[in-house]
Amino acid sequence: LAKTTQPISMDSYEGQEVNITCSHNNIATNDYITWYQQFPSQGPRFIIQGYKTKVTNEVASLFIPADRKSSTLSLPRVSLSDTAVYYCLVGDMDNYGQNFVFGPGTRLSVLP
Amino acid sequence: GAGVSQTPSNKVTEKGKYVELRCDPISGHTALYWYRQSLGQGPEFLIYFQGTGAADDSGLPNDRFFAVRPEGSVSTLKIQRTERGDSAVYLCASSPGTSPQNEQFFGPGTRLTVL
């Protein structure tokens, strides 16, 4: 049973806000929600992490509803350089290998 | 400061050969992770170390794969009797600790090609 489900791909235009939603219906009490970004030929890069409510940093915002069964990564005013694959992970360090599954991610294409 | 480095960046070998892939984590990071990534897929967990010991090796696909971290810093992923299906990018990551709040810092990867 997959821990997370997210769209395979999304298209956007420069300057728009992009929201990528991840479903994690079976999230456990101790699980955190983490998002990574990956450019071609590079390793993934941490974007943001949260447990509940809203988290914001200089790059993105993460919205988590009260039931924590989903989360939404929000990228404000995207640019061409935001074209990448975005991964949503949920888990804690118990049984790490079973929990921290990257999945295929969401391929975001930002168009001019 | 220096990030995670991996050597070699590319490795081409023949089926049946033995290969070693090296990872130099960020200094002071206690946790080290190995993943492999096939084209179009997300990274697949292989093993992680807390210090010198393997805390979780449940992702190693079979006994041809082995990893060590003898001094709690540099790690080597070893693959015996390589097969064409082992071709992938092997990623290493490190983090200050192993709590979920510790973000992982990834290296650029080693692209392994088995002919």
Side-chain angles (χ1 to χ4, degrees), chain A residues 28-30 33 42 54 57 62 65 79 89 91 95 97 101 110-111:
Chain A
T29 303
N30 295 333
I33 301 158
Q42 294 186 24
K54 176 185 174 182
N57 61 23
L62 179 61
S79 64
L89 291 84
N95 299 311
V101 178
V110 179
L111 308 172

Side-chain angles (χ1 to χ4, degrees), chain A residues 30 32 34 36 38 41-46 49 87 89 91-98 100-105 107, chain B residues 33 35 37 40-45 47-48 56 58-59 91 97-109 111:
Chain A
N30 295 333
Y32 280 75
T34 311
Y36 282 83
Q38 187 175 28
S41 301
Q42 294 186 24
R45 183 175 72 112
F46 174 92
Q49 184 181 74
Y87 298 99
L89 291 84
D92 65 10
M93 294 314 297
D94 291 336
N95 299 311
Y96 178 88
Q98 298 170 31
F100 270 78
V101 178
F102 273 80
R107 188 171 300 275
Chain B
Y33 310 78
Y35 300 84
Q37 186 171 27
Q41 303 297 317
E44 173 192 6
F45 168 78
I47 184 171
Y48 97 84
D56 187 336
S58 62
L91 294 164
T98 56
S99 68
Q101 298 93 320
N102 290 136
E103 68 178 271
Q104 295 183 34
F105 296 82
F106 282 80
R111 181 175 299 278

